[in-house]
Each structure stands twice: as C-alpha cells, then as structure tokens.
Amino acid sequence: MAKSVAGPEIEKLIQLLAKLPGLGPRSARRAALHLVKRREQLLAPLTAAMAEARDKIGVCSTCGNIDSRDPCTICTDHGRDQSTVVVVEDVADLWALERAKALNAAYHVLGGVLSPLEGVGPEDLTIRQLIDRVEAGGVKELVIAVNATVEGQTTAHYIMDRLEGLEVKVTRLAHGVPVGGELDYLDEGTLAAAMRSRTAL
Ligand code: ZN
C-alpha cells in the first residue's frame, strides 16, 4: 500500500474518480489535482452540475432513455417518426445512433441482453415494456439494433418470438461487409453475419 500524500478528503475524491470508466488510479490523481487547482472555473460548476444531475436526471418510463424529463425529449419529439422504434441494448447505443444520425425515430432501451451465464433473464430487461408498447398500437416498425454478439442475437430472437401474432414489421441492422472492406481482413463474426444476411443480387 502506497503511503498517503494527502488527507482523507483528497484521497476520497481520487478513489471516486478512479471508479469512472477510462480513469485508472493514475489519471484519477491527475484529474483530482486538476479539479482542486481550478476550484472556481471547474470544481464549483462541476459540483453544481452533478447535484443537478442527481436531482433532475432520471430514466424515461416509456423508452428507458436518460433525461431530465419523463417522457423524455425523444419520446415527445413530434418531428420524429414515433411509429418506428429502434431497440438498443444501452443508452450509450442510443446516443451513438443519434450521433450518427442513423434514423429519425423513437427508441427502446433494453437495459442489456439476455445472458444465462451471467444470470440475465427476460425479466431483468425491458422486454415486457416493449411488447406493451407494441400492443398499445402506433408502432409500425421495430428496428432491432442490438450488438452482433451471441447474446445480442439470442435477445433479438427472443423478442421476435414474443412479438409473434402482433401487427408490427421487424427489421434488423445488416451486419454487413463495410464498403471497401476486404473479406480477408474481417473478423469471423462479421463475415459469418454478412453471409447469413446475404441478399439476392
Ligand atoms: Zn423516452
């Protein structure tokens, strides 16, 4: 155990910062020092922003997005095609698709994928809420945009099964060969998915 160079307050700050994704103990130390040195410009506004986030930001009860309003900004945006719902694993995926301007649609965040190994079952995800949304009407198309992993694909199939008999078109991302991609350089998973989702020429 390294000898402490500062009081418990700064150690606590460092320990908390080190829990953030992408920050190890070393960068947490640097971040803490940076914050303390810039008390007025950074530490004070950051503290206020965090308190505001704690008090105001929550999960949208319709789609599972994170926002300060419920229903969220996306669910209440009439400029979007609310009849098309993109199903994603995580809020981070929603944000990535939004950054990519992939589709001007609504979303449904599952909160993960089915994983018997890790003990994640259907009741741990928002699949029931998704079926309820479809049953309530108004959803014409579901775009299953889960990751191209075994768990992701298992989850997609499970959702398909649960949707049986419901009037909704279901599509999925094409896990295809990237434009200009040479087959030799692709990983097996991508190649196999590209082969499975082959279309008529
Ligand atoms: Zn929402």
Side-chain angles (χ1 to χ4, degrees), residues 39-76:
R39 177 187 295 264
E40 288 315 312
Q41 307 96 301
L42 201 53
L43 186 55
L46 183 67
T47 308
M50 284 179 144
E52 209 170 14
R54 181 196 61 207
D55 296 340
K56 292 189 182 161
I57 297 178
V59 174
C60 172
S61 54
T62 304
C63 76
N65 186 20
I66 284 173
D67 202 351
S68 54
R69 323 166 27 179
D70 183 17
C72 73
T73 308
I74 288 178
C75 284
T76 51

mmCIF file of all heavy atoms in Angstrom, residues 39-76:
data_model
loop_
_atom_site.group_PDB
_atom_site.id
_atom_site.type_symbol
_atom_site.label_atom_id
_atom_site.label_comp_id
_atom_site.label_asym_id
_atom_site.label_seq_id
_atom_site.Cartn_x
_atom_site.Cartn_y
_atom_site.Cartn_z
ATOM 1 N N ARG A 39 -10.480 25.407 -8.769
ATOM 2 C CA ARG A 39 -11.645 25.363 -7.899
ATOM 3 C C ARG A 39 -12.811 26.169 -8.465
ATOM 4 O O ARG A 39 -13.927 25.643 -8.582
ATOM 5 C CB ARG A 39 -11.247 25.903 -6.524
ATOM 6 C CG ARG A 39 -12.382 25.985 -5.522
ATOM 7 C CD ARG A 39 -11.903 26.675 -4.274
ATOM 8 N NE ARG A 39 -10.877 25.896 -3.597
ATOM 9 C CZ ARG A 39 -11.153 25.068 -2.581
ATOM 10 N NH1 ARG A 39 -12.376 24.958 -2.135
ATOM 11 N NH2 ARG A 39 -10.201 24.387 -2.006
ATOM 12 N N GLU A 40 -12.551 27.419 -8.833
ATOM 13 C CA GLU A 40 -13.658 28.277 -9.278
ATOM 14 C C GLU A 40 -14.121 27.963 -10.693
ATOM 15 O O GLU A 40 -15.310 27.911 -10.978
ATOM 16 C CB GLU A 40 -13.265 29.760 -9.166
ATOM 17 C CG GLU A 40 -13.199 30.276 -7.733
ATOM 18 C CD GLU A 40 -14.400 29.843 -6.884
ATOM 19 O OE1 GLU A 40 -15.550 29.987 -7.341
ATOM 20 O OE2 GLU A 40 -14.187 29.351 -5.752
ATOM 21 N N GLN A 41 -13.151 27.756 -11.600
ATOM 22 C CA GLN A 41 -13.508 27.546 -13.006
ATOM 23 C C GLN A 41 -14.107 26.163 -13.248
ATOM 24 O O GLN A 41 -14.884 25.973 -14.182
ATOM 25 C CB GLN A 41 -12.292 27.686 -13.934
ATOM 26 C CG GLN A 41 -11.510 28.960 -13.795
ATOM 27 C CD GLN A 41 -10.312 28.746 -12.874
ATOM 28 O OE1 GLN A 41 -10.472 28.363 -11.716
ATOM 29 N NE2 GLN A 41 -9.115 29.017 -13.378
ATOM 30 N N LEU A 42 -13.704 25.168 -12.448
ATOM 31 C CA LEU A 42 -14.087 23.795 -12.768
ATOM 32 C C LEU A 42 -14.764 23.057 -11.618
ATOM 33 O O LEU A 42 -15.852 22.498 -11.791
ATOM 34 C CB LEU A 42 -12.816 23.037 -13.200
ATOM 35 C CG LEU A 42 -13.037 21.782 -14.033
ATOM 36 C CD1 LEU A 42 -13.917 22.074 -15.254
ATOM 37 C CD2 LEU A 42 -11.696 21.224 -14.494
ATOM 38 N N LEU A 43 -14.137 23.063 -10.468
ATOM 39 C CA LEU A 43 -14.664 22.251 -9.361
ATOM 40 C C LEU A 43 -16.046 22.731 -8.924
ATOM 41 O O LEU A 43 -16.968 21.916 -8.777
ATOM 42 C CB LEU A 43 -13.677 22.280 -8.178
ATOM 43 C CG LEU A 43 -14.018 21.368 -7.004
ATOM 44 C CD1 LEU A 43 -14.209 19.927 -7.453
ATOM 45 C CD2 LEU A 43 -12.927 21.437 -5.944
ATOM 46 N N ALA A 44 -16.214 24.054 -8.784
ATOM 47 C CA ALA A 44 -17.511 24.580 -8.335
ATOM 48 C C ALA A 44 -18.625 24.303 -9.347
ATOM 49 O O ALA A 44 -19.665 23.747 -8.986
ATOM 50 C CB ALA A 44 -17.389 26.071 -8.021
ATOM 51 N N PRO A 45 -18.436 24.663 -10.656
ATOM 52 C CA PRO A 45 -19.503 24.355 -11.618
ATOM 53 C C PRO A 45 -19.756 22.866 -11.775
ATOM 54 O O PRO A 45 -20.903 22.442 -11.971
ATOM 55 C CB PRO A 45 -19.011 24.959 -12.938
ATOM 56 C CG PRO A 45 -17.661 25.504 -12.710
ATOM 57 C CD PRO A 45 -17.362 25.470 -11.263
ATOM 58 N N LEU A 46 -18.710 22.052 -11.669
ATOM 59 C CA LEU A 46 -18.895 20.601 -11.793
ATOM 60 C C LEU A 46 -19.722 20.066 -10.626
ATOM 61 O O LEU A 46 -20.630 19.250 -10.814
ATOM 62 C CB LEU A 46 -17.531 19.904 -11.845
ATOM 63 C CG LEU A 46 -17.572 18.384 -12.060
ATOM 64 C CD1 LEU A 46 -18.107 18.042 -13.447
ATOM 65 C CD2 LEU A 46 -16.200 17.770 -11.877
ATOM 66 N N THR A 47 -19.442 20.545 -9.440
ATOM 67 C CA THR A 47 -20.203 20.139 -8.254
ATOM 68 C C THR A 47 -21.675 20.495 -8.430
ATOM 69 O O THR A 47 -22.562 19.680 -8.155
ATOM 70 C CB THR A 47 -19.646 20.853 -7.003
ATOM 71 O OG1 THR A 47 -18.232 20.634 -6.958
ATOM 72 C CG2 THR A 47 -20.269 20.328 -5.732
ATOM 73 N N ALA A 48 -21.921 21.717 -8.946
ATOM 74 C CA ALA A 48 -23.309 22.158 -9.150
ATOM 75 C C ALA A 48 -23.989 21.300 -10.216
ATOM 76 O O ALA A 48 -25.143 20.878 -10.051
ATOM 77 C CB ALA A 48 -23.319 23.631 -9.556
ATOM 78 N N ALA A 49 -23.271 21.013 -11.326
ATOM 79 C CA ALA A 49 -23.846 20.212 -12.411
ATOM 80 C C ALA A 49 -24.155 18.804 -11.932
ATOM 81 O O ALA A 49 -25.176 18.212 -12.296
ATOM 82 C CB ALA A 49 -22.883 20.172 -13.599
ATOM 83 N N MET A 50 -23.301 18.276 -11.074
ATOM 84 C CA MET A 50 -23.522 16.922 -10.563
ATOM 85 C C MET A 50 -24.718 16.876 -9.627
ATOM 86 O O MET A 50 -25.505 15.928 -9.664
ATOM 87 C CB MET A 50 -22.275 16.427 -9.845
ATOM 88 C CG MET A 50 -21.210 16.017 -10.825
ATOM 89 S SD MET A 50 -19.760 15.468 -9.946
ATOM 90 C CE MET A 50 -19.216 14.176 -11.016
ATOM 91 N N ALA A 51 -24.861 17.907 -8.792
ATOM 92 C CA ALA A 51 -26.010 17.953 -7.888
ATOM 93 C C ALA A 51 -27.303 18.056 -8.707
ATOM 94 O O ALA A 51 -28.302 17.413 -8.396
ATOM 95 C CB ALA A 51 -25.874 19.144 -6.951
ATOM 96 N N GLU A 52 -27.254 18.844 -9.783
ATOM 97 C CA GLU A 52 -28.421 18.998 -10.641
ATOM 98 C C GLU A 52 -28.751 17.664 -11.330
ATOM 99 O O GLU A 52 -29.912 17.274 -11.431
ATOM 100 C CB GLU A 52 -28.135 20.081 -11.681
ATOM 101 C CG GLU A 52 -29.388 20.785 -12.103
ATOM 102 C CD GLU A 52 -29.103 22.015 -12.945
ATOM 103 O OE1 GLU A 52 -27.959 22.165 -13.414
ATOM 104 O OE2 GLU A 52 -30.036 22.800 -13.126
ATOM 105 N N ALA A 53 -27.733 16.984 -11.797
ATOM 106 C CA ALA A 53 -27.928 15.686 -12.449
ATOM 107 C C ALA A 53 -28.554 14.700 -11.460
ATOM 108 O O ALA A 53 -29.481 13.962 -11.801
ATOM 109 C CB ALA A 53 -26.600 15.148 -12.963
ATOM 110 N N ARG A 54 -28.044 14.708 -10.232
ATOM 111 C CA ARG A 54 -28.566 13.797 -9.209
ATOM 112 C C ARG A 54 -30.046 14.064 -8.946
ATOM 113 O O ARG A 54 -30.854 13.142 -8.835
ATOM 114 C CB ARG A 54 -27.763 13.988 -7.909
ATOM 115 C CG ARG A 54 -28.193 13.077 -6.771
ATOM 116 C CD ARG A 54 -27.660 13.581 -5.454
ATOM 117 N NE ARG A 54 -28.165 14.909 -5.161
ATOM 118 C CZ ARG A 54 -27.527 15.810 -4.410
ATOM 119 N NH1 ARG A 54 -26.346 15.525 -3.898
ATOM 120 N NH2 ARG A 54 -28.059 16.992 -4.184
ATOM 121 N N ASP A 55 -30.429 15.338 -8.909
ATOM 122 C CA ASP A 55 -31.801 15.690 -8.559
ATOM 123 C C ASP A 55 -32.771 15.614 -9.737
ATOM 124 O O ASP A 55 -33.950 15.356 -9.555
ATOM 125 C CB ASP A 55 -31.840 17.121 -7.990
ATOM 126 C CG ASP A 55 -31.059 17.198 -6.690
ATOM 127 O OD1 ASP A 55 -30.836 16.134 -6.077
ATOM 128 O OD2 ASP A 55 -30.652 18.310 -6.305
ATOM 129 N N LYS A 56 -32.287 15.888 -10.943
ATOM 130 C CA LYS A 56 -33.222 16.062 -12.052
ATOM 131 C C LYS A 56 -33.190 14.960 -13.110
ATOM 132 O O LYS A 56 -34.152 14.790 -13.852
ATOM 133 C CB LYS A 56 -32.943 17.398 -12.746
ATOM 134 C CG LYS A 56 -33.287 18.581 -11.860
ATOM 135 C CD LYS A 56 -33.212 19.871 -12.606
ATOM 136 C CE LYS A 56 -33.513 21.052 -11.686
ATOM 137 N NZ LYS A 56 -33.020 22.300 -12.256
ATOM 138 N N ILE A 57 -32.076 14.262 -13.250
ATOM 139 C CA ILE A 57 -31.976 13.315 -14.359
ATOM 140 C C ILE A 57 -32.454 11.943 -13.931
ATOM 141 O O ILE A 57 -32.069 11.426 -12.888
ATOM 142 C CB ILE A 57 -30.534 13.278 -14.917
ATOM 143 C CG1 ILE A 57 -30.188 14.660 -15.490
ATOM 144 C CG2 ILE A 57 -30.405 12.208 -16.001
ATOM 145 C CD1 ILE A 57 -28.788 14.789 -16.021
ATOM 146 N N GLY A 58 -33.327 11.369 -14.751
ATOM 147 C CA GLY A 58 -33.867 10.052 -14.442
ATOM 148 C C GLY A 58 -34.065 9.255 -15.714
ATOM 149 O O GLY A 58 -33.608 9.644 -16.792
ATOM 150 N N VAL A 59 -34.751 8.118 -15.567
ATOM 151 C CA VAL A 59 -34.965 7.221 -16.699
ATOM 152 C C VAL A 59 -36.368 7.445 -17.256
ATOM 153 O O VAL A 59 -37.341 7.509 -16.502
ATOM 154 C CB VAL A 59 -34.793 5.751 -16.234
ATOM 155 C CG1 VAL A 59 -35.142 4.783 -17.351
ATOM 156 C CG2 VAL A 59 -33.369 5.522 -15.754
ATOM 157 N N CYS A 60 -36.467 7.578 -18.580
ATOM 158 C CA CYS A 60 -37.772 7.753 -19.236
ATOM 159 C C CYS A 60 -38.605 6.491 -19.039
ATOM 160 O O CYS A 60 -38.148 5.389 -19.325
ATOM 161 C CB CYS A 60 -37.571 8.030 -20.726
ATOM 162 S SG CYS A 60 -39.113 8.043 -21.661
ATOM 163 N N SER A 61 -39.841 6.657 -18.548
ATOM 164 C CA SER A 61 -40.667 5.481 -18.262
ATOM 165 C C SER A 61 -41.212 4.840 -19.537
ATOM 166 O O SER A 61 -41.728 3.730 -19.492
ATOM 167 C CB SER A 61 -41.816 5.870 -17.326
ATOM 168 O OG SER A 61 -42.532 6.952 -17.877
ATOM 169 N N THR A 62 -41.095 5.543 -20.669
ATOM 170 C CA THR A 62 -41.550 4.957 -21.929
ATOM 171 C C THR A 62 -40.438 4.173 -22.603
ATOM 172 O O THR A 62 -40.619 3.013 -22.966
ATOM 173 C CB THR A 62 -42.040 6.064 -22.890
ATOM 174 O OG1 THR A 62 -43.061 6.809 -22.227
ATOM 175 C CG2 THR A 62 -42.586 5.478 -24.179
ATOM 176 N N CYS A 63 -39.280 4.817 -22.792
ATOM 177 C CA CYS A 63 -38.247 4.200 -23.637
ATOM 178 C C CYS A 63 -36.975 3.803 -22.905
ATOM 179 O O CYS A 63 -36.147 3.084 -23.454
ATOM 180 C CB CYS A 63 -37.907 5.136 -24.795
ATOM 181 S SG CYS A 63 -36.881 6.544 -24.316
ATOM 182 N N GLY A 64 -36.782 4.269 -21.676
ATOM 183 C CA GLY A 64 -35.572 3.897 -20.946
ATOM 184 C C GLY A 64 -34.386 4.811 -21.194
ATOM 185 O O GLY A 64 -33.299 4.573 -20.679
ATOM 186 N N ASN A 65 -34.585 5.862 -21.990
ATOM 187 C CA ASN A 65 -33.537 6.863 -22.204
ATOM 188 C C ASN A 65 -33.298 7.632 -20.895
ATOM 189 O O ASN A 65 -34.115 7.586 -19.978
ATOM 190 C CB ASN A 65 -33.992 7.827 -23.311
ATOM 191 C CG ASN A 65 -32.922 8.817 -23.703
ATOM 192 O OD1 ASN A 65 -31.737 8.617 -23.467
ATOM 193 N ND2 ASN A 65 -33.356 9.898 -24.330
ATOM 194 N N ILE A 66 -32.190 8.334 -20.829
ATOM 195 C CA ILE A 66 -31.891 9.131 -19.643
ATOM 196 C C ILE A 66 -32.096 10.604 -19.969
ATOM 197 O O ILE A 66 -31.579 11.100 -20.977
ATOM 198 C CB ILE A 66 -30.444 8.851 -19.175
ATOM 199 C CG1 ILE A 66 -30.414 7.488 -18.473
ATOM 200 C CG2 ILE A 66 -29.938 9.942 -18.254
ATOM 201 C CD1 ILE A 66 -29.039 7.035 -18.113
ATOM 202 N N ASP A 67 -32.896 11.260 -19.168
ATOM 203 C CA ASP A 67 -33.210 12.665 -19.450
ATOM 204 C C ASP A 67 -33.699 13.339 -18.174
ATOM 205 O O ASP A 67 -33.954 12.689 -17.160
ATOM 206 C CB ASP A 67 -34.306 12.732 -20.536
ATOM 207 C CG ASP A 67 -34.325 14.076 -21.256
ATOM 208 O OD1 ASP A 67 -33.630 15.012 -20.816
ATOM 209 O OD2 ASP A 67 -35.054 14.195 -22.249
ATOM 210 N N SER A 68 -33.872 14.655 -18.251
ATOM 211 C CA SER A 68 -34.414 15.383 -17.108
ATOM 212 C C SER A 68 -35.930 15.500 -17.213
ATOM 213 O O SER A 68 -36.556 16.112 -16.355
ATOM 214 C CB SER A 68 -33.773 16.772 -17.036
ATOM 215 O OG SER A 68 -33.929 17.425 -18.269
ATOM 216 N N ARG A 69 -36.516 14.921 -18.292
ATOM 217 C CA ARG A 69 -37.974 14.925 -18.410
ATOM 218 C C ARG A 69 -38.471 13.504 -18.603
ATOM 219 O O ARG A 69 -37.766 12.674 -19.145
ATOM 220 C CB ARG A 69 -38.431 15.754 -19.631
ATOM 221 C CG ARG A 69 -37.611 16.935 -19.863
ATOM 222 C CD ARG A 69 -37.788 17.612 -21.200
ATOM 223 N NE ARG A 69 -39.056 17.467 -21.873
ATOM 224 C CZ ARG A 69 -39.290 18.050 -23.052
ATOM 225 N NH1 ARG A 69 -38.353 18.782 -23.626
ATOM 226 N NH2 ARG A 69 -40.440 17.905 -23.638
ATOM 227 N N ASP A 70 -39.689 13.270 -18.187
ATOM 228 C CA ASP A 70 -40.307 11.964 -18.374
ATOM 229 C C ASP A 70 -41.754 12.166 -18.772
ATOM 230 O O ASP A 70 -42.523 12.698 -17.995
ATOM 231 C CB ASP A 70 -40.215 11.161 -17.067
ATOM 232 C CG ASP A 70 -40.783 9.763 -17.206
ATOM 233 O OD1 ASP A 70 -40.942 9.299 -18.351
ATOM 234 O OD2 ASP A 70 -41.076 9.139 -16.171
ATOM 235 N N PRO A 71 -42.206 11.779 -19.995
ATOM 236 C CA PRO A 71 -41.416 11.140 -21.048
ATOM 237 C C PRO A 71 -40.281 12.048 -21.550
ATOM 238 O O PRO A 71 -40.382 13.273 -21.455
ATOM 239 C CB PRO A 71 -42.431 10.888 -22.158
ATOM 240 C CG PRO A 71 -43.773 11.159 -21.597
ATOM 241 C CD PRO A 71 -43.596 11.951 -20.373
ATOM 242 N N CYS A 72 -39.264 11.421 -22.108
ATOM 243 C CA CYS A 72 -38.040 12.137 -22.461
ATOM 244 C C CYS A 72 -38.204 13.008 -23.710
ATOM 245 O O CYS A 72 -39.229 12.972 -24.383
ATOM 246 C CB CYS A 72 -36.907 11.136 -22.653
ATOM 247 S SG CYS A 72 -37.035 10.179 -24.173
ATOM 248 N N THR A 73 -37.173 13.778 -24.001
ATOM 249 C CA THR A 73 -37.172 14.689 -25.143
ATOM 250 C C THR A 73 -37.430 13.935 -26.459
ATOM 251 O O THR A 73 -38.155 14.427 -27.325
ATOM 252 C CB THR A 73 -35.805 15.404 -25.221
ATOM 253 O OG1 THR A 73 -35.535 15.984 -23.942
ATOM 254 C CG2 THR A 73 -35.794 16.493 -26.270
ATOM 255 N N ILE A 74 -36.867 12.740 -26.587
ATOM 256 C CA ILE A 74 -37.038 11.972 -27.827
ATOM 257 C C ILE A 74 -38.475 11.469 -27.952
ATOM 258 O O ILE A 74 -39.091 11.572 -29.005
ATOM 259 C CB ILE A 74 -36.023 10.801 -27.877
ATOM 260 C CG1 ILE A 74 -34.610 11.360 -28.117
ATOM 261 C CG2 ILE A 74 -36.397 9.779 -28.948
ATOM 262 C CD1 ILE A 74 -33.512 10.323 -28.133
ATOM 263 N N CYS A 75 -39.030 10.943 -26.850
ATOM 264 C CA CYS A 75 -40.401 10.415 -26.885
ATOM 265 C C CYS A 75 -41.443 11.496 -27.165
ATOM 266 O O CYS A 75 -42.526 11.207 -27.664
ATOM 267 C CB CYS A 75 -40.733 9.719 -25.567
ATOM 268 S SG CYS A 75 -39.977 8.097 -25.412
ATOM 269 N N THR A 76 -41.133 12.751 -26.814
ATOM 270 C CA THR A 76 -42.116 13.813 -27.000
ATOM 271 C C THR A 76 -41.817 14.664 -28.241
ATOM 272 O O THR A 76 -42.455 15.681 -28.461
ATOM 273 C CB THR A 76 -42.157 14.729 -25.758
ATOM 274 O OG1 THR A 76 -40.821 15.132 -25.440
ATOM 275 C CG2 THR A 76 -42.754 14.028 -24.564
#
